[in-house]
């Protein structure tokens, strides 16, 4: 196979990349700066070698312990539970949370073959038992799987009346319009309405 | 900078790649197969080293002469003139053309600083003078720049009444609907209407 066809075939395997986009991207890479290509190529080649899950919370890091778990300035009385490592970055960069994180590695999805045993619940329970947390914030996605997972966590912690257990609010996205919101989102924002 | 942020910063420089897409792609690369990452990384790193323009027609190749110019089965009496190297692949893969190609390297665009001297007209004229062609097919884009370039080529060849000079048809895209076509395309398809 010619080098350019090989590059296109590899690019086409990326998510959301069709035949045309792969072609356009490969021709862009031929025209662009060679040192950029080498930097990008080496960053892609080495990413899995450099990055591994944090042994405490499960988010990606290139250090022994991730930057959140090792940051003494973060509030160690709050634990935010998310599905995927990238969710940590989303929440941390919102600026509205300064506690610790726990990555489950997915959400419970019996039809998709993901039972609770596939997720990091033992590590989660161990962290919570070791103590120090006052609030557990469940930040799984507002989907059927995320809701099921939230209920499961609620059940696991049913005897811990000392803990405040919360879930991220669902409702209308900021900047959105009522006319564009789907029925489920509208119903949730109605049920979760707050007093002004 | 952390490895993952560096990868995201590099990905974000690709055309059509925003902050969110770069993030999603970087997390995909962390989860995907390491051997795939190495293959893609090395293909990106080495593409500019492997590929160069064909000295005859200007399309990209990794051989001394490109696969079109060196293919004796192609019709050497037809020459198709395109703007960019990727246009060669588009036309060749349409299956409707089996002649040779010539890549101009762009289109005449005085406002954008691209005069005829920036394009490969001397090589084009030399190829045509060396003879053997019966038809010259101008396949520049149906844009103002492409049309200007087509007229310029027509002018360069004004004394060659022995050559048939043609231009790709413009009109409605196959599978398209009249309601979605813009006025200029509709006007062109009307002017270029053919007898049934």
């Amino acid at each position: 196979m010619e080098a350019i066809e090989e590059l296109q075939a590899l690019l086409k395997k990326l998510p959301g990349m069709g035949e045309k986009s792969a072609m356009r991207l490969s021709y862009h890479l031929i025209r662009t700066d060679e040192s950029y290509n080498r930097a990008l190529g080496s960053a892609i080649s080495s990413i899995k070698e450099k990055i591994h899950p944090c042994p405490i919370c499960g988010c990606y890091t290139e250090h022994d312990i991730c930057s959140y778990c090792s940051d003494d300035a973060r509030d160690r009385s709050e634990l935010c539970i998310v599905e995927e490592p990238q969710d940590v970055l989303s929440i941390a960069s919102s600026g509205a949370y300064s506690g610790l994180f726990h990555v489950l590695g997915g959400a419970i999805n019996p039809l998709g073959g993901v039972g609770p045993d596939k997720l990091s619940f033992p590590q989660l329970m161990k962290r919570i038992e070791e103590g120090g947390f006052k609030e557990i914030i469940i930040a799984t996605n507002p989907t059927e799987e995320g809701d099921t997972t939230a209920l499961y966590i609620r059940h696991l912690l049913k005897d811990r009346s000392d803990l405040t257990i919360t879930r991220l609010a669902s409702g209308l996205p900021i900047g959105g319009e009522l006319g564009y919101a789907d029925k489920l989102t509208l119903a949730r924002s109605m049920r979760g309405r707050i007093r002004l």
Side-chain angles (χ1 to χ4, degrees), chain A residues 21-33 36-37:
Chain A
S21 325
M23 192 176 108
R24 226 169 289 135
L25 194 49
S26 69
Y27 282 105
H28 170 82
L29 290 166
I30 292 177
R31 276 194 305 264
T32 196
D33 183 40
Y36 166 76
N37 284 2

Side-chain angles (χ1 to χ4, degrees), chain A residues 65-103:
Chain A
I65 305 291
C66 80
S67 57
Y68 303 104
C69 290
S70 60
D71 182 354
D72 285 334
R74 295 193 80 88
D75 184 347
R76 281 158 194 279
S77 72
E78 292 186 316
L79 183 67
C80 176
I81 304 173
V82 297
E83 294 182 17
E84 301 290 348
Q86 56 265 45
D87 299 332
V88 169
L89 190 63
S90 300
I91 290 179
S93 63
S94 77
Y97 180 69
S98 63
L100 300 180
F101 290 98
H102 190 86
V103 177

Side-chain angles (χ1 to χ4, degrees), chain A residues 39 42 45 49 151 157 195:
Chain A
S42 126
S45 295
E49 188 176 281
L151 287 176
L157 298 172
R195 188 180 292 272

Side-chain angles (χ1 to χ4, degrees), chain A residues 124-174:
Chain A
L124 172 66
M125 293 311 287
K126 187 161 168 279
R127 285 182 79 184
I128 294 176
E129 275 156 26
E130 280 168 5
F133 294 118
K134 290 180 186 153
E135 180 172 354
I136 307 293
I137 300 166
I138 305 176
T140 52
N141 288 326
T143 58
E144 207 168 311
E145 292 80 17
D147 289 347
T148 305
T149 309
L151 287 176
Y152 185 80
I153 296 169
R154 185 80 201 76
H155 173 76
L156 287 177
L157 298 172
K158 63 180 186 303
D159 299 328
R160 294 295 301 265
S161 55
D162 56 316
L163 290 172
T164 305
I165 301 175
T166 56
R167 175 121 171 78
L168 286 196
S170 273
L172 300 169
I174 304 303

Side-chain angles (χ1 to χ4, degrees), chain A residues 2 7 30 32 53 55 60 62 80 121 137 146 178:
Chain A
E2 295 256 333
L7 175 60
I30 292 177
T32 196
Y60 293 131
E62 46 184 310
C80 176
F121 289 116
I137 300 166
L178 280 184

Side-chain angles (χ1 to χ4, degrees), chain A residues 173-184:
Chain A
I174 304 303
E177 290 179 34
L178 280 184
Y180 289 109
D182 62 290
K183 285 180 199 165
L184 287 173

Side-chain angles (χ1 to χ4, degrees), chain A residues 41-62:
Chain A
S42 126
I44 291 175
S45 295
S46 66
I47 189 70
K48 276 182 83 88
E49 188 176 281
K50 286 186 184 158
I51 296 280
H52 59 90
C54 170
I56 300 176
C57 75
C59 85
Y60 293 131
T61 182
E62 46 184 310

